Amino acid sequence: MQNRMMITGAGSGLGREIALRWARDGWRLALSDVSEAGLQETLRQVRAAGGDGFVQRCDVRDYSQLTAFAQACEVKFGGIDIIVNNAGVASGGFFSELSLEDWDWQIAINLMGVVKGCKAFLPLLEQSKGKIINIASMAALMQGPAMSNYNVAKAGVVALSESLLVELAQQEIGVHVVCPSFFQTNLLDSFRGPTPAMKAQVGKLLESSPITAAEIADYIHTQVNAGQFMILPHEQGRMAWALKQKNPQALYDEMTLMADKMRAKAKQSAH
C-alpha cells in the first residue's frame, strides 16, 4: 500500500468526508466529480487535513473519462491502492409514475457508473493488490416503496460487489460494499421524482438521520481496515437487515403500510 486513493463524487457529501478521513492519515487523493467548484473545495479541505492530491472532472456515465482518470492516477501517483465508487444520484416515485428515462438515468449513474469505475481501475488494482469500496445504500437491501429504480440500481451495486469479492480474491484485491441509510447530505440537489411532495418526503427522511456523513466515513474507515465486506454504518440499518434475514414477510408488511401512507399523503397534498 502506497496510500493512494481515488474517489468519485468527491465534490460534496460522503465522498468529501471519505477523502478527509483518509487525508488525516496522510493519503494522496485523486478526486473526481461533475462539480468543479465542489472538487476545489474538497481539495482545499484535504490539504488542510494533512493529505494532498489532485482533482479531475469526471462524469461516471462516460467510460473514456474514467479511463482518463485512471491514467492520470498512474501518471501522478504511479498507480492506485483504493478506489471508492461513490458518485450517485437520488430519485423516487411510484413505479407507475416513473418513466423509462428515469430508469435509464438512474441505472446509468448509480449502477453502470460503479461497473465502469471498477473496470477502468482494475488493471491498477491488480498491480497494487488494492481495494474496491463501492457505495450502495440500505435501499439495496430493504427496497422501500416509491423508489424502485433507485432500489434496483443500488441492489445491482451489492450484487456486483459480491461477484467481485469472490472473483478477485485470487488476485488479492479486497472488495467492500457500503450500505448507508439516509444521512444528512446534498443528495437532494440531484433528486429526480415526479412530484414535489415526494421530494419533500425524502427530504424529511434525510434530515431525520441521527448520523452525519463524517461519522459514516469514520465507520467505513474502521470496517475496511477490519476487512469487513458488507458495511452497514447505521444501527437501525443493521437491525432492519437482521429482521429481513429472519422474517422477510414482516418487513414487506411494514413497507406495504409505508406505501399506503405515502399514497394517502400524496393525495392530500394534491388537493
Side-chain angles (χ1 to χ4, degrees):
M1 284 267 160
Q2 292 183 41
N3 298 359
R4 304 161 300 187
M5 177 185 253
M6 117 30 195
I7 307 171
T8 64
S12 63
L14 185 57
R16 173 178 290 170
E17 294 302 339
I18 291 170
L20 293 176
R21 180 62 196 83
W22 267 265
R24 292 205 291 276
D25 293 345
W27 280 53
R28 289 180 289 166
L29 286 305
L31 307 165
S32 82
D33 202 288
V34 288
S35 160
E36 302 263 11
L39 280 176
Q40 291 302 334
E41 178 54 27
T42 300
L43 184 60
R44 191 188 66 72
Q45 292 186 28
V46 156
R47 287 178 173 152
D52 200 8
F54 72 95
V55 301
Q56 186 157 323
R57 190 186 180 282
C58 179
D59 183 334
V60 296
R61 288 175 291 189
D62 184 347
Y63 186 60
S64 67
Q65 292 185 30
L66 280 159
T67 53
F69 188 35
Q71 279 169 332
C73 290
E74 195 166 16
V75 169
K76 293 179 175 166
F77 291 170
I80 207 80
D81 301 291
I82 299 184
I83 68 166
V84 184
N85 291 303
N86 164 75
V89 289
S91 70
F94 284 103
F95 183 75
S96 57
E97 306 164 331
L98 292 169
S99 68
L100 289 177
E101 287 72 23
D102 291 330
W103 277 91
D104 289 343
W105 178 76
Q106 183 54 240
I107 300 283
I109 300 171
N110 283 6
L111 176 54
M112 290 311 297
V114 177
V115 171
K116 290 170 182 174
C118 291
K119 191 122 185 95
F121 279 83
L122 187 58
L124 295 182
L125 292 169
E126 286 171 338
Q127 287 167 24
S128 65
K129 300 196 188 311
K131 291 184 170 80
I132 295 170
I133 303 174
N134 290 332
I135 308 297
S137 163
M138 277 312 291
L141 307 177
M142 311 312 289
Q143 285 89 43
M147 46 200 282
S148 56
N149 58 345
Y150 186 78
N151 293 340
V152 168
K154 292 296 192 175
V157 173
V158 171
L160 169 70
S161 304
E162 289 175 332
S163 306
L164 295 177
L165 175 72
V166 295
E167 284 190 31
L168 300 178
Q170 203 179 8
Q171 282 120 292
E172 296 173 66
I173 296 171
V175 179
H176 308 270
V177 65
V178 184
C179 295
S181 305
F182 289 119
F183 56 91
Q184 286 126 358
T185 171
N186 64 344
L187 199 58
L188 274 195
D189 295 353
S190 69
F191 184 88
R192 268 199 199 183
T195 64
M198 189 66 70
K199 183 164 179 168
Q201 281 179 331
V202 176
K204 273 208 190 83
L205 271 173
L206 294 173
E207 276 151 30
S208 67
S209 167
I211 185 170
T212 63
E215 289 166 318
I216 293 172
D218 216 38
Y219 188 83
I220 294 169
H221 184 269
T222 307
Q223 297 293 303
V224 165
N225 288 339
Q228 180 68 35
F229 166 67
M230 188 176 282
I231 300 173
L232 308 179
H234 292 72
E235 189 168 6
Q236 277 173 307
R238 294 192 286 275
M239 283 159 56
W241 178 228
L243 167 73
K244 184 175 181 181
Q245 288 172 294
K246 257 201 229 70
N247 185 354
Q249 192 57 50
L251 192 90
Y252 301 144
D253 293 345
E254 183 70 29
M255 293 291 189
T256 306
L257 283 173
M258 201 167 134
D260 292 345
K261 276 187 196 147
M262 287 168 90
R263 278 208 186 84
K265 249 196 176 143
K267 270 209 186 85
Q268 272 174 349
S269 55
H271 295 307

